[in-house]
Amino acid sequence: MHATHNSRPHVVVLGAGFGGLTFCQKFAHPAARVTVVDRQNHHLFQPLLYQVATAGLSAPEIAQPIRSILRNKPNVTVLLRQATGFDLARREVRLGEDVLSYDYLVLALGSVTGYFDHPEWEACAPGLKSLDDALRIRRRVLLAFERAENTADAAARAQLMTLVVVGGGPTGVELAGAFAELTRRVLKRDFRQIDPRQAHVILLEAMPRLLRQFPERLSTRAAAQLARLGVEVWTNVRVETIGDGFVQLADGRRIESANILWTAGVTANPLTRQLGVELDRAGRVIVHPDLSVPGHPEVFAIGDLALVRDRRGQPVPGVSPAAMQMARHVARLIEDALTHENASPGARPAFDYFNRGAMATLGRSAAVAQIGRLEFSGWPAWAAWLLVHLIFLIGFRNRAAVLLQWTYSYFTYKLGSRIITGLEGPPELATTAAGGREACPMEKKAM
Amino acid sequence: MHATHNSRPHVVVLGAGFGGLTFCQKFAHPAARVTVVDRQNHHLFQPLLYQVATAGLSAPEIAQPIRSILRNKPNVTVLLRQATGFDLARREVRLGEDVLSYDYLVLALGSVTGYFDHPEWEACAPGLKSLDDALRIRRRVLLAFERAENTADAAARAQLMTLVVVGGGPTGVELAGAFAELTRRVLKRDFRQIDPRQAHVILLEAMPRLLRQFPERLSTRAAAQLARLGVEVWTNVRVETIGDGFVQLADGRRIESANILWTAGVTANPLTRQLGVELDRAGRVIVHPDLSVPGHPEVFAIGDLALVRDRRGQPVPGVSPAAMQMARHVARLIEDALTHENASPGARPAFDYFNRGAMATLGRSAAVAQIGRLEFSGWPAWAAWLLVHLIFLIGFRNRAAVLLQWTYSYFTYKLGSRIITGLEGPPELATTAAGGREACPMEKKAM
């Protein structure tokens, strides 16, 4: 690696999500240089990923090349690479066969979809973490409706027109609400043999209520708003198994569905296992209050990857505002350490999480929000959600394009991103759809 | 196929490009029903495809779901299927194992990239015909610059930073101009180890001049404008062979390049070979003056697929205005035939092509245009090109989003669509790039 032989202090940042990117933007020390490593060339505005999956936005509208965002930071080098291991004692990160030496290391690798002890469910119930995930879900669902239009078999058609979202957290309710709008409003006049309004959108939650991060009153309101949009909300249901085109529940019920989506679990990036330090059950690094990794005061973990507690002893949630606050904290700590080289790591201030609130959108004019002690739902919460998300979208163009598209969608319901790409070769839909139960294998073929 | 048993006259249209879609929009007969078959779910605005390949526009901005465009045509059924063969005697189209019967058949399947007698060049020199093609080219070129940033080997770096466009027709000059702008302007500050402005963009043309559809004066101006943008225009050069990371010319010169794009030939959709009728060397159906297929007055070929001559005996060019004019002609013929059932096919009027002119854009404020006897170049031609393309883009949203993006790009040069998707798994760029000569296989791996 030609960038490592240099006497300037070197800070290596792994991951350019909200945490890693904020660190690169905020860290400012004249002597140090920063290398940020990500396996994608873009930063992703994760909170809007569900809109790409449900054909409301196009992929570039919620992503921005990391190089463009950091082009005015001459001390930052961007590497499109994947970290594959660590040697914390030698202060090295492995990138395949290459090695990157650091003086300070910031771990901001985020989390991945977690299936608890059922990794085999992933093929039939994809999660939503990357742009490729979102494009795959979009393709799968849009193709299912094409197949339903092409089949005369009533059971196969019902299976193709049933969408199941597993997990009633913010991503789950947003996906379910958006799919209800897609089928009820957007697609309603597009087909001749089927009526997309008769599609079933089922949201499964194991706990007694949705959105348990929110006050109970808002959970109730969210469920009512989702029901009005056409979502069937099933709480207190446990998934026993997920297979090729079906979900089997613990209470004996079985749902036949060609479109099963998983939002019921996340787990820290599996690279944390290569660190050789203590992790919690979700794979997160159990960090010191200053966010450093025990035994390694020059290594920090931020964002979803870190388990740290707020003043009330509660774990800081894996949300983007927390990741950005942690990034600023670590940027200041490293700046201080570089300026005062003899300072003791023990004297560092602890990270203090400031919870600004939480919001989740359910559909057109439907949302819930909690900001401090204020609780909103319906239109005011939706307006607040819109405002906050537009303000935080990085880059002028995206913000304007997203606003334009949302305004247009709001007034017309004609979502513009219903394009299926990646159909290399003939899809030959009806032939495979006739089999009915082959949802996953046939999907893999079509992708 | 549940849609075929019906006593109403049935018109089957294969392909929803400019020809097929215009037919569906213009054809109006109260008794007839229309089925349009396409293997993609979207109509593509082909003239702007090069902008997707060069990261200027995102895919949904130049594509629209066929179902949405035709949602207000209740007599039109859209099938996402691929035609696989014909039985013209029995008036049937085969779709895999299914059969679609017709009373009238409109062939509007367009053309594909043609490599003359060298199909083996396709892997290393992709063409630009579909959205997937454009996204693949974008990914390949953007990854090449990432690899160049990651390698210290000067020869490998030069190869990664050389772009070769084979073919000096409209698509070739547009691609070359856009790539020159991408490297000279857009990417110039994104990297730390390489200077994208030192990339070579080479345009190869076998004939003595570019754009031979245009008057010679405009060809000269186009070459001068391209040179100013940074394109190296090589005319009178014949490609002898294209291999893994190189182009060998007949004059002995060899260009090392990891980014070779082919725009030097098109050939009619290979399905025409299944028709059992006479074709020209490019696979086009040699139609009667009324656009019907010889021996089959109920079958028509329109667009790139048809060889028909204008009043001066010249073949009608394979451009979208010609396809749309042919579609209107055939729509009227079939309407007439359905209204006057005893009319003789021999009495049908001949198709008459009205040539409105031609234009090609080369970059920011650079274009050539010929409208009737008027010839423009530079800024006025560019403004005319912009206007015409915005007017013809189907669908309000796309038009507004494209205008927004162009305006933004024009003033800032920060192209917003530089997102690489489809990077499943670790790209591990430097490791493979170090080999240098492995451009095509390593690209296949990364895709």
Side-chain angles (χ1 to χ4, degrees):
Chain A
M1 296 298 299
H2 44 87
T4 56
H5 309 298
N6 198 311
S7 62
R8 293 164 65 193
H10 189 205
V11 182
V12 170
V13 181
L14 300 185
F18 283 104
L21 195 61
T22 302
F23 179 90
C24 293
Q25 288 172 319
K26 298 296 173 191
F27 178 76
H29 192 279
R33 66 204 170 86
V34 176
T35 300
V36 56
V37 181
D38 200 292
R39 69 195 185 107
Q40 299 286 359
N41 84 326
H42 52 269
H43 168 75
L44 185 63
F45 193 77
Q46 283 251 4
L48 291 181
L49 197 53
Y50 82 96
Q51 293 249 8
V52 174
T54 56
L57 292 174
S58 75
E61 279 162 341
I62 64 155
Q64 198 85 327
I66 299 163
R67 294 193 182 287
S68 304
I69 301 173
L70 298 172
R71 72 198 313 170
N72 294 325
K73 292 270 175 189
N75 66 326
V76 178
T77 300
V78 180
L79 285 186
L80 176 62
R81 297 289 301 270
Q82 169 134 22
T84 52
F86 306 91
D87 187 335
L88 296 189
R90 300 180 59 177
R91 301 195 179 181
E92 287 175 351
V93 176
R94 274 199 300 282
L95 310 174
E97 290 167 17
D98 291 315
V99 157
L100 201 57
S101 301
Y102 61 81
D103 298 295
Y104 289 94
L105 176 64
V106 180
L107 302 165
L109 291 157
S111 54
V112 300
T113 303
Y115 293 84
F116 309 117
D117 302 324
H118 295 284
E120 74 278 10
W121 294 354
E122 185 170 7
C124 297
L128 181 63
K129 270 298 192 181
S130 69
L131 269 186
D132 286 317
D133 288 343
L135 294 173
R136 195 179 308 126
I137 290 173
R138 178 201 291 184
R139 185 159 55 227
R140 183 181 282 211
V141 171
L142 293 178
L143 281 177
F145 280 88
E146 295 288 342
R147 290 191 185 102
E149 172 88 349
N150 263 296
T151 182
D153 180 69
R157 190 179 277 189
Q159 186 188 35
L160 290 163
M161 292 175 66
T162 300
L163 290 98
V164 177
V165 178
V166 185
T171 304
V173 302
E174 284 168 350
L175 267 180
F179 276 124
E181 292 207 322
L182 183 72
T183 53
R184 266 52 187 170
R185 307 281 187 162
V186 181
L187 297 178
K188 66 178 176 186
R189 283 199 299 146
D190 276 11
F191 294 88
R192 300 289 173 263
Q193 311 297 330
I194 61 169
D195 181 354
R197 285 171 294 187
Q198 291 174 2
H200 290 280
V201 180
I202 304 172
L203 177 61
L204 303 180
E205 168 59 45
M207 296 286 151
R209 64 179 177 105
L210 304 177
L211 297 173
R212 73 201 129 103
Q213 306 85 333
F214 287 79
E216 188 151 357
R217 206 163 61 100
L218 289 182
S219 294
T220 311
R221 294 222 186 139
Q225 290 182 71
L226 283 172
R228 261 202 303 282
L229 289 169
V231 177
E232 301 162 42
V233 179
W234 299 10
T235 50
N236 282 314
V237 288
R238 276 171 39 87
V239 169
E240 195 172 271
T241 185
I242 296 177
D244 221 358
F246 71 90
V247 180
Q248 177 67 54
L249 302 180
D251 61 13
R253 282 181 292 180
R254 179 182 160 108
I255 311 172
E256 306 287 332
S257 166
N259 312 282
I260 307 167
L261 308 174
W262 180 265
T263 68
V266 291
T267 170
N269 190 307
L271 263 179
T272 53
R273 286 185 228 133
Q274 313 276 331
L275 285 167
V277 301
E278 199 190 347
L279 308 176
D280 77 347
R281 230 175 59 93
R284 290 179 295 186
V285 181
I286 302 171
V287 292
H288 281 318
D290 68 346
L291 303 177
S292 69
V293 173
H296 300 277
E298 74 288 356
V299 181
F300 299 88
I302 64 176
D304 301 16
L305 201 72
L307 175 64
V308 65
R309 293 179 186 276
D310 65 14
R311 261 181 283 184
R312 296 179 306 164
Q314 295 297 310
V316 173
V319 296
S320 51
M324 293 160 83
Q325 291 177 30
M326 293 184 202
R328 286 193 206 98
H329 181 80
V330 171
R332 277 193 301 264
L333 288 191
I334 299 179
E335 287 163 12
D336 283 354
L338 288 171
T339 308
H340 312 287
E341 281 191 30
N342 299 320
S344 146
R348 292 175 184 168
F351 170 69
D352 188 15
Y353 175 55
F354 178 65
N355 184 354
R356 285 202 177 75
M359 37 181 64
T361 184
L362 311 161
R364 192 177 151 97
S365 308
V368 291
Q370 177 234 332
I371 300 170
R373 288 185 188 171
L374 291 174
E375 294 176 13
F376 306 80
S377 65
W379 200 90
W382 189 74
W385 178 88
L386 204 70
L387 192 71
V388 167
H389 283 81
L390 280 177
I391 289 171
F392 282 101
L393 263 184
I394 290 170
F396 156 81
R397 189 198 71 82
N398 284 7
R399 209 179 291 169
V402 169
L403 184 62
L404 179 77
Q405 188 138 355
W406 280 349
T407 310
Y408 180 67
S409 300
Y410 189 85
F411 287 108
T412 65
Y413 274 129
K414 260 191 227 165
L415 296 197
S417 298
R418 286 198 320 286
I419 303 300
I420 304 176
T421 51
L423 281 183
E424 294 284 308
E428 273 323 310
L429 305 168
T431 319
T432 41
R437 296 292 133 77
E438 308 171 30
C440 309
M442 94 190 167
E443 183 53 30
K444 271 182 221 130
K445 223 172 66 189
M447 292 188 317
Chain B
M1 297 297 296
H2 44 85
T4 56
H5 310 298
N6 197 310
S7 61
R8 293 164 64 193
H10 189 207
V11 182
V12 170
V13 181
L14 300 186
F18 284 104
L21 196 61
T22 303
F23 180 90
C24 293
Q25 289 172 320
K26 297 297 173 186
F27 178 77
H29 192 280
R33 65 205 172 84
V34 176
T35 300
V36 55
V37 181
D38 200 293
R39 70 196 185 106
Q40 301 285 359
N41 85 326
H42 52 268
H43 169 74
L44 186 63
F45 193 77
Q46 283 251 4
L48 291 180
L49 196 53
Y50 82 97
Q51 293 248 8
V52 175
T54 56
L57 292 175
S58 74
E61 279 163 340
I62 64 154
Q64 198 85 328
I66 300 163
R67 296 194 181 286
S68 304
I69 302 174
L70 298 172
R71 70 199 313 171
N72 294 324
K73 292 270 174 188
N75 65 324
V76 178
T77 300
V78 179
L79 285 186
L80 177 62
R81 297 291 299 271
Q82 169 135 22
T84 53
F86 306 93
D87 187 335
L88 297 188
R90 298 179 60 176
R91 302 194 177 181
E92 287 176 351
V93 176
R94 274 198 301 280
L95 310 173
E97 290 168 16
D98 290 316
V99 158
L100 201 56
S101 300
Y102 61 81
D103 298 295
Y104 289 93
L105 177 63
V106 180
L107 301 165
L109 291 156
S111 54
V112 300
T113 303
Y115 292 84
F116 310 118
D117 301 325
H118 295 285
E120 73 278 11
W121 293 356
E122 185 170 7
C124 297
L128 182 63
K129 271 299 197 179
S130 69
L131 269 185
D132 286 316
D133 287 344
L135 294 172
R136 194 180 308 128
I137 290 174
R138 178 201 293 182
R139 183 159 57 225
R140 182 181 285 211
V141 172
L142 293 177
L143 281 177
F145 280 87
E146 296 288 342
R147 290 191 185 102
E149 172 88 350
N150 264 296
T151 183
D153 180 68
R157 192 180 274 190
Q159 185 187 36
L160 289 163
M161 291 175 66
T162 300
L163 289 98
V164 178
V165 178
V166 185
T171 304
V173 302
E174 285 168 349
L175 267 179
F179 276 123
E181 293 208 322
L182 183 72
T183 53
R184 274 19 181 202
R185 308 279 187 161
V186 181
L187 297 178
K188 68 177 174 187
R189 284 200 297 148
D190 277 11
F191 294 89
R192 299 290 173 264
Q193 312 296 331
I194 60 170
D195 181 354
R197 285 170 295 188
Q198 290 171 4
H200 290 279
V201 180
I202 304 172
L203 178 61
L204 303 181
E205 167 59 46
M207 297 286 151
R209 65 180 176 105
L210 304 175
L211 296 173
R212 72 200 128 104
Q213 306 84 334
F214 286 77
E216 188 152 358
R217 204 161 64 98
L218 289 183
S219 294
T220 311
R221 296 223 183 137
Q225 291 182 70
L226 283 173
R228 259 202 304 281
L229 288 168
V231 176
E232 301 162 43
V233 179
W234 299 10
T235 50
N236 282 315
V237 289
R238 276 169 41 85
V239 170
E240 194 170 272
T241 185
I242 296 178
D244 222 356
F246 73 90
V247 179
Q248 178 66 55
L249 302 179
D251 61 14
R253 281 181 290 181
R254 180 183 160 109
I255 311 172
E256 305 286 332
S257 167
N259 311 282
I260 307 166
L261 307 174
W262 179 265
T263 69
V266 290
T267 171
N269 190 306
L271 263 181
T272 54
R273 286 186 227 134
Q274 312 276 330
L275 286 167
V277 302
E278 200 190 345
L279 308 176
D280 78 347
R281 231 174 62 92
R284 291 179 294 185
V285 181
I286 303 172
V287 293
H288 281 319
D290 68 345
L291 302 177
S292 68
V293 173
H296 299 278
E298 74 287 356
V299 181
F300 298 88
I302 64 176
D304 302 14
L305 201 73
L307 175 65
V308 65
R309 291 178 187 278
D310 65 14
R311 262 180 283 184
R312 296 179 305 163
Q314 295 296 311
V316 172
V319 295
S320 51
M324 292 162 85
Q325 291 177 30
M326 293 185 202
R328 286 192 206 99
H329 181 80
V330 171
R332 276 192 301 264
L333 288 191
I334 298 179
E335 287 163 10
D336 282 353
L338 289 170
T339 309
H340 314 288
E341 280 191 32
N342 298 321
S344 147
R348 290 175 185 169
F351 170 68
D352 188 15
Y353 175 55
F354 178 65
N355 184 353
R356 285 202 177 75
M359 39 180 62
T361 183
L362 310 162
R364 194 176 149 97
S365 309
V368 291
Q370 176 233 334
I371 301 171
R373 288 185 188 170
L374 291 173
E375 293 176 12
F376 306 79
S377 65
W379 200 91
W382 188 73
W385 178 88
L386 205 71
L387 193 70
V388 167
H389 284 82
L390 280 177
I391 289 172
F392 281 101
L393 263 184
I394 291 170
F396 156 81
R397 187 196 72 82
N398 284 6
R399 208 180 293 168
V402 169
L403 183 62
L404 179 76
Q405 189 136 355
W406 280 348
T407 309
Y408 180 67
S409 300
Y410 189 86
F411 288 107
T412 64
Y413 272 127
K414 260 190 228 165
L415 296 195
S417 299
R418 286 199 318 287
I419 303 301
I420 304 177
T421 52
L423 280 184
E424 296 282 310
E428 273 323 310
L429 305 169
T431 319
T432 43
R437 295 292 133 78
E438 308 170 28
C440 309
M442 91 190 171
E443 182 53 30
K444 271 184 218 122
K445 222 171 64 188
M447 294 188 315

